[in-house]
């Protein structure tokens, strides 16, 4: 269990950037799959190639969906980090203003 409150914005943004990079890498998988499927279709019989084409289309659709979902997630995390930073700054200002308004003197 954590004993801290809040979010480390640097670490959170780093994780969001990593998620974005992974999502972009998923698009490259689609390109690789297209090349592999093309090679396989030319190597197999005409009875198998329609199934290969269907498999390729379905898989590319799934890769695209995963990539888009990953990008959306990364963008939402980045937005959340931005909101947390703004909220923390506003809270700090309110806290400091409240402390100043109390005008408490501390004697040592």
């Amino acid at each position: 269990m954590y004993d801290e409150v809040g979010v480390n914005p640097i670490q959170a943004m780093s994780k969001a950037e990593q998620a974005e990079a992974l999502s972009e890498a998923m698009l490259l998988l689609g390109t690789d799959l297209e090349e592999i499927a093309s090679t396989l279709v030319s190597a197999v019989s005409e009875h198998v190639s329609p199934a290969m084409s269907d498999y390729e289309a379905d898989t590319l659709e799934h890769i695209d969906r995963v990539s888009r979902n990953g990008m959306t997630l990364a963008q939402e995390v980045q937005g959340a980090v931005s909101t947390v930073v703004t909220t923390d700054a506003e809270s700090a200002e309110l806290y400091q203003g409240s402390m100043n308004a109390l005008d408490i003197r501390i004697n040592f």
Side-chain angles (χ1 to χ4, degrees):
M1 178 174 286
Y2 295 104
D3 58 357
E4 299 177 10
V5 176
V7 172
N8 180 326
I10 295 169
Q11 288 178 344
M13 194 58 79
S14 172
K15 296 298 182 190
E17 289 168 357
Q18 288 174 8
E20 187 174 3
L22 286 172
S23 297
E24 290 171 356
M26 288 296 293
L27 293 175
L28 297 176
L29 285 178
T31 304
D32 292 345
L33 177 68
E34 287 175 327
E35 290 176 20
I36 292 167
S38 175
T39 303
L40 286 173
V41 166
S42 65
V44 296
S45 76
E46 61 189 42
H47 302 291
V48 179
S49 61
M52 286 296 303
S53 296
D54 290 346
Y55 172 77
E56 177 186 7
D58 289 347
T59 304
L60 287 173
E61 182 181 327
H62 293 303
I63 288 172
D64 180 61
R65 192 175 324 140
V66 168
S67 180
R68 283 186 284 124
N69 288 342
M71 289 299 285
T72 299
L73 177 61
Q75 291 168 352
E76 289 179 1
V77 169
Q78 289 169 347
V81 171
S82 179
T83 301
V84 166
V85 169
T86 301
T87 302
D88 284 353
E90 290 171 356
S91 296
E93 288 174 12
L94 287 172
Y95 178 78
Q96 187 61 43
S98 299
M99 293 303 291
N100 291 342
L102 289 175
D103 194 30
I104 298 174
R105 299 183 125 190
I106 299 174
N107 295 323
F108 289 99

